[in-house]
Amino acid sequence: MIGQSRESAWRLLTEYTQSESLRKHAMAVESCMRAYAQKLARDQGLSSAAAAELEQKYSLTGLLHDFDYERFPTPEQHPFVGNKILGERGYPEDVRRAILSHADYTGVPRQTHMEKVLFACDELAGFITATALVKPSKSLAEVDAKSIRKKMKDKAFARSVLREDIVNGARDLGVDLDQHIAFCIDAMRTIASELGLSGAHTANVG
């Protein structure tokens, strides 16, 4: 079992990341990673103990993939500085390698399922969030794969999100793009309130 808890990972994230939006992005990617780990465990018929370990590893990888970005945002720094810190904190090599591999410029190829899932979910989670935030209710309940695909064609919308990474991520993971989008939306809906995307907080907005 991986030695680090979710609580210690959250402390590390919040130590280095003050931005609420970056923290929420970390949680969004974490939720998608967790869902894919659960699916893999079911598909492989893993024991409950093995499934729990897999879920924890995927979840923490998603939660911490950008933890160093706010303080160390340049390609020379992120995610290399974070990788060093994670090593000092005792995080396993496969978690650190997955985080390195999510940035193409590191030159670390994505080989494992966990590495491919992180890349496939990272930009997409950000795009799903951006799409939900422009809905009248600011709710994930109003977002589906069709609305995401439509927004992806609008080059002026969320232009910092790399559409090709979303497309290539699903392809490299070996999943249909629409199914991948729907899967991640469903995963993020499980923590919609924590992400501020449940719609409840906008009820009194004029």
Side-chain angles (χ1 to χ4, degrees):
M1 178 66 75
I2 182 172
Q4 290 73 18
S5 66
R6 204 272 181 184
E7 290 72 24
S8 65
W10 179 255
R11 285 196 300 272
L12 179 58
L13 173 68
T14 55
E15 177 185 344
Y16 282 85
T17 303
Q18 301 307 309
S19 163
E20 195 68 26
S21 62
L22 277 176
R23 290 180 180 183
K24 286 177 178 177
H25 174 65
M27 289 190 291
V29 176
E30 176 192 26
S31 70
C32 298
M33 295 282 289
R34 182 190 305 116
Y36 266 111
Q38 291 169 345
K39 182 179 186 302
L40 181 63
R42 289 193 302 270
D43 291 347
Q44 294 189 345
L46 298 183
S47 68
S48 56
E53 182 172 0
L54 188 76
E55 183 178 332
Q56 183 187 25
K57 188 167 282 193
Y58 275 57
S59 296
L60 296 190
T61 299
L63 187 67
L64 293 172
H65 77 285
D66 276 345
F67 87 93
D68 64 337
Y69 182 76
E70 188 174 276
R71 287 199 203 175
F72 306 101
T74 70
E76 291 75 32
Q77 297 171 320
H78 168 73
F80 302 105
V81 174
N83 183 63
K84 183 172 183 292
I85 294 167
L86 290 174
E88 292 168 351
R89 301 286 181 103
Y91 282 84
E93 195 274 337
D94 55 349
V95 169
R96 291 184 285 121
R97 191 184 189 283
I99 291 172
L100 282 176
S101 75
H102 91 277
D104 283 334
Y105 57 79
T106 64
V108 177
R110 288 177 287 277
Q111 298 171 337
T112 69
H113 183 262
M114 186 166 74
E115 290 164 359
K116 292 175 181 179
V117 168
L118 176 59
F119 182 75
C121 295
D122 183 16
E123 293 289 295
L124 178 58
F127 200 83
I128 291 170
T129 296
T131 302
L133 287 173
V134 298
K135 294 292 184 181
S137 68
K138 292 182 166 53
S139 171
L140 284 168
E142 284 194 74
V143 179
D144 57 18
K146 184 178 179 182
S147 61
I148 294 293
R149 291 295 292 268
K150 183 177 180 182
K151 282 293 188 184
M152 283 174 67
K153 294 176 183 176
D154 180 359
K155 291 183 169 54
F157 178 75
R159 25 182 107 160
S160 65
V161 177
L162 299 173
R163 272 69 165 171
E164 60 268 32
D165 283 2
I166 295 175
V167 173
N168 293 339
R171 183 201 65 208
D172 294 346
L173 191 55
V175 295
D176 174 80
L177 180 57
D178 285 341
Q179 291 178 355
H180 175 55
I181 293 170
F183 186 87
C184 287
I185 291 170
D186 285 344
M188 288 172 61
R189 281 177 180 163
T190 66
I191 59 162
S193 58
E194 293 104 301
L195 298 176
L197 299 175
S198 64
H201 65 299
T202 63
N204 297 321
V205 176

